[in-house]
Coordinates of all heavy atoms in Angstrom, one line a residue:
M141 N 111.2 97.0 87.9 CA 110.7 95.8 88.5 C 111.3 94.6 87.8 O 111.4 94.6 86.6 CB 109.2 95.7 88.4 CG 108.4 96.2 89.5 SD 106.6 96.0 89.3 CE 106.2 97.7 88.9
L142 N 111.8 93.7 88.6 CA 112.4 92.4 88.1 C 111.3 91.5 87.8 O 110.2 91.5 88.4 CB 113.3 91.8 89.1 CG 114.6 92.6 89.4 CD1 115.4 92.0 90.5 CD2 115.5 92.8 88.2
A143 N 111.5 90.5 86.9 CA 110.6 89.4 86.6 C 111.1 88.2 87.3 O 112.3 88.0 87.4 CB 110.4 89.2 85.1
S144 N 110.2 87.4 87.8 CA 110.5 86.1 88.4 C 111.0 85.1 87.4 O 110.5 85.1 86.3 CB 109.3 85.6 89.2 OG 109.4 84.3 89.5
A145 N 112.0 84.3 87.8 CA 112.5 83.2 86.9 C 111.4 82.2 86.5 O 111.3 81.8 85.3 CB 113.6 82.5 87.5
E146 N 110.5 81.9 87.4 CA 109.5 80.9 87.1 C 108.2 81.6 86.6 O 107.3 80.9 86.2 CB 109.1 80.1 88.4 CG 108.4 80.8 89.4 CD 109.2 81.1 90.7 OE1 110.4 80.7 90.8 OE2 108.7 81.8 91.6
N147 N 108.2 82.9 86.5 CA 107.0 83.6 86.2 C 107.5 84.9 85.5 O 108.4 85.5 85.9 CB 106.3 83.9 87.5 CG 104.9 84.5 87.3 OD1 104.7 85.2 86.3 ND2 104.0 84.2 88.2
A148 N 106.8 85.3 84.4 CA 107.2 86.5 83.7 C 106.6 87.7 84.3 O 106.9 88.8 83.9 CB 106.7 86.4 82.2
N149 N 105.8 87.6 85.4 CA 105.3 88.7 86.1 C 106.3 89.5 86.9 O 107.2 88.8 87.5 CB 104.1 88.3 87.0 CG 102.9 87.8 86.2 OD1 102.8 88.0 85.1 ND2 102.1 87.0 86.9
P150 N 106.2 90.8 87.0 CA 107.2 91.6 87.8 C 107.1 91.2 89.3 O 106.0 90.9 89.8 CB 106.7 93.0 87.5 CG 105.9 93.0 86.3 CD 105.3 91.6 86.3
I151 N 108.2 91.3 89.9 CA 108.3 91.0 91.4 C 108.1 92.2 92.2 O 108.7 93.3 91.9 CB 109.7 90.3 91.7 CG1 109.8 89.0 90.9 CG2 109.8 90.2 93.2 CD1 111.2 88.4 91.0
L152 N 107.2 92.2 93.2 CA 106.9 93.3 94.0 C 107.9 93.4 95.2 O 108.0 94.5 95.8 CB 105.5 93.3 94.5 CG 104.4 93.4 93.4 CD1 103.0 93.5 94.1 CD2 104.7 94.6 92.6
K153 N 108.5 92.3 95.6 CA 109.4 92.4 96.8 C 110.6 93.3 96.5 O 111.1 93.3 95.4 CB 109.9 91.0 97.1 CG 108.9 90.1 97.7 CD 109.5 88.8 98.1 CE 108.4 87.9 98.8 NZ 108.9 86.6 99.2
G154 N 110.9 94.1 97.5 CA 112.1 95.0 97.3 C 111.7 96.4 96.8 O 112.6 97.3 96.7
L155 N 110.4 96.6 96.4 CA 110.1 97.9 95.9 C 109.8 98.9 97.0 O 109.3 98.5 98.1 CB 108.8 97.8 95.1 CG 108.9 97.0 93.7 CD1 107.5 97.1 93.0 CD2 109.9 97.6 92.8
P156 N 110.2 100.1 96.9 CA 110.0 101.1 97.9 C 108.5 101.4 98.0 O 107.7 101.2 97.1 CB 110.8 102.3 97.4 CG 111.0 102.1 96.0 CD 111.0 100.7 95.7
I157 N 108.1 101.9 99.1 CA 106.7 102.2 99.4 C 106.1 103.2 98.4 O 105.0 103.0 98.0 CB 106.6 102.8 100.9 CG1 105.1 102.7 101.3 CG2 107.1 104.1 101.0 CD1 104.9 102.9 102.8
E158 N 106.9 104.1 97.9 CA 106.4 105.1 96.9 C 106.0 104.4 95.6 O 105.0 104.8 95.0 CB 107.4 106.2 96.6 CG 107.8 107.0 97.8 CD 108.8 106.4 98.8 OE1 109.4 105.4 98.4 OE2 109.0 107.0 99.9
E159 N 106.8 103.4 95.2 CA 106.4 102.7 94.0 C 105.2 101.8 94.2 O 104.3 101.7 93.3 CB 107.6 101.8 93.5 CG 108.7 102.6 92.9 CD 109.7 101.7 92.2 OE1 109.3 100.7 91.5 OE2 110.9 101.9 92.4
L160 N 105.0 101.2 95.3 CA 103.8 100.5 95.6 C 102.6 101.4 95.7 O 101.5 101.0 95.3 CB 104.0 99.6 96.9 CG 105.0 98.5 96.7 CD1 105.3 97.8 98.1 CD2 104.6 97.5 95.7
E161 N 102.7 102.6 96.2 CA 101.6 103.5 96.3 C 101.2 103.9 94.8 O 100.0 103.9 94.5 CB 102.0 104.8 97.0 CG 102.2 104.6 98.5 CD 102.7 105.8 99.2 OE1 103.4 106.6 98.6 OE2 102.5 105.9 100.4
G162 N 102.2 104.1 94.0 CA 102.0 104.5 92.6 C 101.3 103.3 91.8 O 100.4 103.5 91.0
L163 N 101.8 102.1 92.1 CA 101.2 100.9 91.5 C 99.7 100.8 91.9 O 98.9 100.5 91.0 CB 102.0 99.7 92.0 CG 101.5 98.3 91.4 CD1 102.7 97.5 91.2 CD2 100.6 97.6 92.4
A164 N 99.4 100.9 93.2 CA 98.0 100.8 93.6 C 97.2 101.9 92.9 O 96.1 101.6 92.4 CB 97.9 101.0 95.1
A165 N 97.7 103.1 92.8 CA 97.0 104.2 92.2 C 96.8 103.9 90.7 O 95.7 104.1 90.1 CB 97.7 105.5 92.4
S166 N 97.8 103.3 90.0 CA 97.7 103.0 88.6 C 96.6 101.9 88.3 O 96.1 101.8 87.2 CB 99.0 102.6 88.0 OG 99.4 101.3 88.5
L167 N 96.3 101.1 89.3 CA 95.3 100.1 89.2 C 93.9 100.6 89.7 O 93.0 99.8 89.8 CB 95.7 98.8 90.0 CG 97.0 98.1 89.5 CD1 97.4 97.0 90.5 CD2 96.8 97.6 88.1
G168 N 93.8 101.9 90.0 CA 92.6 102.5 90.4 C 92.2 102.4 91.9 O 91.1 102.5 92.3
H169 N 93.3 102.1 92.7 CA 93.1 102.0 94.1 C 93.8 103.2 94.8 O 94.6 103.9 94.2 CB 93.6 100.7 94.7 CG 92.9 99.5 94.1 ND1 91.8 99.0 94.6 CD2 93.2 98.8 93.0 CE1 91.4 97.9 93.9 NE2 92.3 97.8 92.9
S170 N 93.4 103.4 96.1 CA 94.0 104.5 96.8 C 95.5 104.2 97.1 O 95.8 103.0 97.2 CB 93.3 104.6 98.2 OG 94.0 105.3 99.1
P171 N 96.4 105.2 97.1 CA 97.8 105.0 97.4 C 97.9 104.3 98.8 O 98.9 103.5 99.0 CB 98.4 106.4 97.4 CG 97.5 107.1 96.5 CD 96.1 106.6 96.7
F172 N 96.9 104.4 99.7 CA 97.0 103.8 101.0 C 97.1 102.2 100.8 O 97.7 101.6 101.6 CB 95.7 104.1 101.8 CG 95.6 103.4 103.0 CD1 96.4 103.6 104.1 CD2 94.6 102.4 103.2 CE1 96.3 102.9 105.3 CE2 94.5 101.7 104.4 CZ 95.3 102.0 105.4
R173 N 96.5 101.7 99.7 CA 96.5 100.3 99.5 C 98.0 99.9 99.2 O 98.4 98.8 99.5 CB 95.6 99.9 98.3 CG 94.2 100.1 98.6 CD 93.7 99.2 99.7 NE 92.3 99.5 100.0 CZ 91.7 99.3 101.2 NH1 92.4 98.8 102.2 NH2 90.5 99.6 101.4
G174 N 98.7 100.7 98.6 CA 100.2 100.5 98.3 C 100.9 100.4 99.6 O 101.8 99.6 99.8
R175 N 100.6 101.3 100.6 CA 101.2 101.2 101.9 C 100.9 99.9 102.6 O 101.8 99.3 103.2 CB 100.9 102.5 102.7 CG 101.4 103.7 102.2 CD 101.3 104.9 103.1 NE 99.9 105.4 103.3 CZ 99.2 106.1 102.5 NH1 99.7 106.6 101.4 NH2 98.0 106.5 102.8
Q176 N 99.7 99.5 102.5 CA 99.3 98.2 103.1 C 100.1 97.1 102.4 O 100.5 96.2 103.1 CB 97.8 98.0 102.9 CG 96.9 98.9 103.8 CD 95.4 98.6 103.6 OE1 95.0 98.6 102.4 NE2 94.7 98.3 104.6
L177 N 100.2 97.1 101.1 CA 100.9 96.1 100.4 C 102.4 96.1 100.9 O 102.9 95.0 101.1 CB 100.8 96.4 98.9 CG 101.3 95.4 97.9 CD1 100.7 94.1 98.1 CD2 101.0 96.0 96.5
F178 N 103.0 97.2 101.1 CA 104.3 97.3 101.6 C 104.5 96.6 102.9 O 105.4 95.9 103.2 CB 104.7 98.8 101.7 CG 106.2 99.0 102.1 CD1 107.2 99.0 101.2 CD2 106.4 99.2 103.5 CE1 108.5 99.2 101.6 CE2 107.7 99.4 103.9 CZ 108.8 99.4 103.0
L179 N 103.5 96.9 103.8 CA 103.6 96.3 105.2 C 103.4 94.7 105.1 O 104.1 94.0 105.8 CB 102.5 96.9 106.1 CG 102.7 98.3 106.4 CD1 101.5 98.8 107.2 CD2 104.0 98.5 107.2
W180 N 102.6 94.3 104.2 CA 102.4 92.8 104.1 C 103.7 92.2 103.6 O 104.1 91.1 104.0 CB 101.2 92.5 103.1 CG 99.9 92.5 103.8 CD1 98.9 93.5 103.6 CD2 99.4 91.6 104.7 NE1 97.8 93.2 104.4 CE2 98.1 92.0 105.1 CE3 99.9 90.5 105.3 CZ2 97.3 91.4 106.0 CZ3 99.0 89.8 106.2 CH2 97.8 90.2 106.6
I181 N 104.3 92.8 102.6 CA 105.5 92.2 102.0 C 106.7 92.4 103.0 O 107.5 91.4 103.1 CB 105.8 92.9 100.7 CG1 104.7 92.6 99.7 CG2 107.2 92.5 100.1 CD1 104.8 93.5 98.4
N182 N 106.9 93.5 103.6 CA 108.1 93.8 104.3 C 108.1 93.5 105.8 O 109.1 93.2 106.4 CB 108.6 95.2 104.1 CG 108.9 95.4 102.6 OD1 109.9 94.8 102.2 ND2 108.1 96.1 101.9
Q183 N 106.9 93.7 106.5 CA 106.8 93.4 107.9 C 106.3 92.0 108.2 O 106.9 91.3 109.0 CB 105.8 94.4 108.6 CG 106.5 95.7 108.9 CD 105.6 96.6 109.7 OE1 104.4 96.4 109.8 NE2 106.1 97.6 110.3
K184 N 105.2 91.6 107.5 CA 104.6 90.3 107.7 C 105.3 89.2 106.8 O 105.0 88.1 107.1 CB 103.1 90.4 107.5 CG 102.5 91.4 108.5 CD 101.0 91.4 108.4 CE 100.5 92.4 109.4 NZ 99.1 92.5 109.5
R185 N 106.0 89.7 105.8 CA 106.8 88.8 105.0 C 106.0 87.7 104.3 O 106.4 86.5 104.3 CB 108.0 88.2 105.7 CG 108.9 89.3 106.2 CD 110.2 88.7 106.8 NE 111.0 89.7 107.4 CZ 111.8 90.5 106.8 NH1 112.0 90.4 105.5 NH2 112.5 91.4 107.5
V186 N 104.8 88.0 103.8 CA 103.9 87.0 103.2 C 104.4 86.8 101.7 O 105.1 87.7 101.1 CB 102.4 87.4 103.2 CG1 101.9 87.5 104.6 CG2 102.2 88.6 102.4
S187 N 104.2 85.7 101.2 CA 104.6 85.5 99.8 C 103.4 85.0 99.0 O 103.6 84.3 97.9 CB 105.7 84.5 99.7 OG 105.4 83.3 100.3
D188 N 102.2 85.3 99.5 CA 101.0 84.9 98.7 C 100.0 86.0 98.9 O 99.6 86.4 100.1 CB 100.4 83.6 99.3 CG 99.3 83.0 98.5 OD1 98.6 83.8 97.8 OD2 99.2 81.8 98.5
F189 N 99.5 86.5 97.9 CA 98.5 87.7 97.9 C 97.3 87.3 98.7 O 96.7 88.2 99.3 CB 98.2 88.2 96.5 CG 99.3 88.8 95.8 CD1 99.9 88.1 94.7 CD2 99.8 90.0 96.2 CE1 101.0 88.7 94.1 CE2 100.9 90.6 95.5 CZ 101.5 90.0 94.4
S190 N 96.9 86.0 98.7 CA 95.7 85.6 99.4 C 95.8 85.8 100.9 O 94.7 85.9 101.6 CB 95.3 84.2 99.1 OG 96.3 83.3 99.6
E191 N 97.0 86.0 101.4 CA 97.1 86.2 102.9 C 96.9 87.6 103.3 O 96.8 87.9 104.5 CB 98.6 85.8 103.3 CG 98.8 84.3 103.1 CD 100.3 83.9 103.5 OE1 100.7 84.3 104.6 OE2 100.9 83.3 102.6
M192 N 96.8 88.5 102.3 CA 96.7 89.9 102.6 C 95.2 90.3 102.9 O 94.6 90.9 102.1 CB 97.3 90.7 101.5 CG 98.7 90.4 101.2 SD 99.4 91.4 99.8 CE 101.0 90.8 99.8
T193 N 94.7 89.9 104.0 CA 93.3 89.9 104.3 C 92.7 91.3 104.4 O 91.4 91.4 104.4 CB 93.0 89.1 105.6 OG1 93.8 89.6 106.6 CG2 93.4 87.6 105.4
N194 N 93.4 92.3 104.6 CA 92.8 93.7 104.7 C 92.7 94.3 103.3 O 92.3 95.5 103.2 CB 93.5 94.6 105.7 CG 94.9 94.9 105.4 OD1 95.6 94.2 104.5 ND2 95.5 95.9 106.0
L195 N 93.1 93.6 102.2 CA 92.9 94.1 100.9 C 91.7 93.3 100.3 O 91.5 92.2 100.6 CB 94.2 93.8 100.0 CG 95.5 94.4 100.5 CD1 96.6 93.9 99.6 CD2 95.4 95.9 100.5
S196 N 91.0 94.0 99.4 CA 89.8 93.4 98.8 C 90.2 92.1 98.0 O 91.3 92.1 97.5 CB 89.0 94.3 98.0 OG 89.8 94.6 96.8
K197 N 89.3 91.2 97.9 CA 89.6 90.0 97.2 C 89.9 90.3 95.7 O 90.8 89.7 95.1 CB 88.5 89.0 97.3 CG 88.7 87.7 96.5 CD 88.1 86.5 97.1 CE 88.2 85.2 96.3 NZ 89.3 85.1 95.4
S198 N 89.1 91.2 95.2 CA 89.3 91.6 93.8 C 90.7 92.2 93.5 O 91.4 91.9 92.5 CB 88.2 92.5 93.3 OG 88.2 93.7 94.0
F199 N 91.2 93.0 94.5 CA 92.5 93.6 94.4 C 93.6 92.5 94.5 O 94.6 92.5 93.8 CB 92.7 94.7 95.5 CG 94.0 95.5 95.4 CD1 94.5 95.8 94.1 CD2 94.6 95.9 96.5 CE1 95.7 96.6 94.0 CE2 95.8 96.7 96.4 CZ 96.3 97.0 95.2
R200 N 93.4 91.6 95.5 CA 94.4 90.5 95.7 C 94.4 89.6 94.4 O 95.5 89.2 94.0 CB 94.0 89.6 96.9 CG 94.3 90.3 98.2 CD 93.9 89.5 99.3 NE 92.5 89.5 99.6 CZ 91.8 88.6 100.2 NH1 92.3 87.6 100.7 NH2 90.5 88.8 100.4
D201 N 93.3 89.4 93.8 CA 93.2 88.6 92.6 C 94.0 89.3 91.4 O 94.7 88.7 90.7 CB 91.8 88.2 92.2 CG 91.1 87.3 93.1 OD1 91.8 86.6 93.9 OD2 89.9 87.2 93.1
E202 N 93.7 90.6 91.3 CA 94.4 91.4 90.3 C 95.9 91.4 90.5 O 96.7 91.2 89.5 CB 93.9 92.8 90.3 CG 94.4 93.7 89.2 CD 93.8 95.0 89.2 OE1 93.1 95.5 90.2 OE2 93.9 95.7 88.1
L203 N 96.3 91.5 91.7 CA 97.8 91.5 92.0 C 98.4 90.2 91.7 O 99.4 90.1 91.1 CB 98.0 91.8 93.5 CG 97.8 93.3 93.9 CD1 97.8 93.4 95.5 CD2 98.7 94.2 93.3
A204 N 97.7 89.1 92.1 CA 98.2 87.7 91.8 C 98.3 87.5 90.3 O 99.2 86.7 89.9 CB 97.3 86.7 92.5
H205 N 97.4 88.0 89.5 CA 97.4 87.8 88.1 C 98.5 88.6 87.4 O 99.1 88.1 86.4 CB 96.0 88.3 87.5 CG 95.9 88.1 86.0 ND1 95.8 86.9 85.4 CD2 95.9 89.0 85.0 CE1 95.8 87.1 84.1 NE2 95.8 88.4 83.9
R206 N 98.9 89.8 88.0 CA 99.8 90.7 87.3 C 101.2 90.7 87.9 O 102.2 91.0 87.2 CB 99.3 92.1 87.4 CG 98.1 92.4 86.6 CD 97.7 93.9 86.9 NE 96.5 94.2 86.2 CZ 96.4 95.2 85.3 NH1 97.5 95.9 85.1 NH2 95.3 95.5 84.7
Y207 N 101.4 90.3 89.1 CA 102.7 90.4 89.8 C 103.0 89.1 90.5 O 102.2 88.2 90.7 CB 102.6 91.5 90.8 CG 102.3 92.9 90.2 CD1 101.0 93.4 90.2 CD2 103.3 93.6 89.5 CE1 100.7 94.6 89.5 CE2 103.0 94.8 88.9 CZ 101.7 95.2 88.9 OH 101.4 96.4 88.2
A208 N 104.3 89.0 91.0 CA 104.8 87.8 91.7 C 105.4 88.2 93.0 O 105.9 89.3 93.2 CB 105.9 87.2 90.8
L209 N 105.3 87.3 94.0 CA 105.9 87.4 95.3 C 106.7 86.1 95.6 O 106.3 85.4 96.5 CB 104.8 87.6 96.4 CG 104.2 89.0 96.5 CD1 103.1 89.0 97.6 CD2 105.2 90.0 96.8
P210 N 107.7 85.8 94.8 CA 108.4 84.5 95.0 C 109.1 84.4 96.4 O 109.5 85.4 96.9 CB 109.4 84.5 93.9 CG 109.7 85.9 93.6 CD 108.4 86.6 93.8
K211 N 109.1 83.2 96.9 CA 109.9 83.0 98.1 C 111.3 83.0 97.8 O 111.7 82.5 96.7 CB 109.5 81.7 98.7 CG 108.1 81.6 99.3 CD 107.8 80.3 99.9 CE 106.4 80.3 100.4 NZ 106.0 79.0 101.0
L212 N 112.1 83.6 98.6 CA 113.6 83.6 98.4 C 114.1 82.2 98.9 O 113.6 81.6 99.8 CB 114.2 84.7 99.3 CG 113.8 86.1 98.9 CD1 114.5 87.1 99.8 CD2 114.1 86.4 97.4
K213 N 115.1 81.7 98.2 CA 115.7 80.5 98.6 C 117.2 80.6 98.6 O 117.8 81.4 97.9 CB 115.3 79.3 97.6 CG 115.6 79.6 96.2 CD 115.0 78.5 95.3 CE 115.2 78.9 93.8 NZ 114.6 78.0 92.9
V214 N 117.8 79.8 99.5 CA 119.2 79.9 99.7 C 119.9 79.0 98.6 O 119.6 77.9 98.4 CB 119.6 79.3 101.1 CG1 121.1 79.3 101.2 CG2 118.9 80.1 102.2
D215 N 120.8 79.6 97.8 CA 121.6 79.0 96.8 C 122.7 78.2 97.4 O 123.0 77.1 97.2 CB 122.0 79.9 95.7 CG 121.0 80.3 94.7 OD1 120.0 79.5 94.6 OD2 121.1 81.3 94.1
V216 N 123.5 79.0 98.2 CA 124.7 78.4 98.9 C 124.7 78.9 100.3 O 124.5 80.1 100.6 CB 126.0 78.9 98.1 CG1 127.2 78.4 98.8 CG2 125.9 78.5 96.7
A217 N 125.0 78.0 101.3 CA 125.1 78.4 102.7 C 126.5 78.1 103.1 O 127.1 77.0 102.8 CB 124.1 77.7 103.5
H218 N 127.2 79.1 103.8 CA 128.5 78.9 104.3 C 128.5 79.0 105.8 O 127.9 79.9 106.3 CB 129.5 80.0 103.7 CG 129.6 79.9 102.2 ND1 130.4 79.0 101.6 CD2 129.0 80.6 101.2 CE1 130.3 79.2 100.3 NE2 129.4 80.2 100.0
E219 N 129.2 78.1 106.4 CA 129.3 78.2 107.9 C 130.7 78.7 108.2 O 131.7 78.2 107.7 CB 129.1 76.8 108.5 CG 129.0 76.8 110.0 CD 128.5 75.5 110.6 OE1 127.7 74.8 110.0 OE2 129.0 75.2 111.7
S220 N 130.7 79.6 109.2 CA 132.0 80.1 109.6 C 132.8 79.1 110.4 O 132.2 78.1 110.9 CB 131.8 81.4 110.4 OG 131.2 81.1 111.6
A221 N 134.1 79.3 110.5 CA 135.0 78.3 111.2 C 134.6 78.2 112.7 O 134.8 77.2 113.3 CB 136.4 78.8 111.1
D222 N 134.0 79.3 113.3 CA 133.7 79.2 114.7 C 132.2 78.8 114.9 O 131.7 78.9 116.0 CB 134.0 80.6 115.4 CG 133.2 81.7 114.8 OD1 132.4 81.5 113.8 OD2 133.4 82.8 115.3
G223 N 131.5 78.4 113.8 CA 130.2 77.9 113.9 C 129.2 79.0 113.8 O 128.0 78.9 113.9

């Protein structure tokens, strides 16, 4: 797991579903919660744990305290010659 530049917490974006299932289990939750987390991050593309409304508030708070979901930003954009 990488750490965010603005935050020392590990980043959850980009992790495979199996790692998120293991993470949920290591925090005392069902692996199913890891699959839900995967869907929020990769399908719904949220970048704030508070938006993950089908996860318990206590689990969302724990995730926000321990992990990061930084928004990706464009460093350099290039336009092709044909637009």
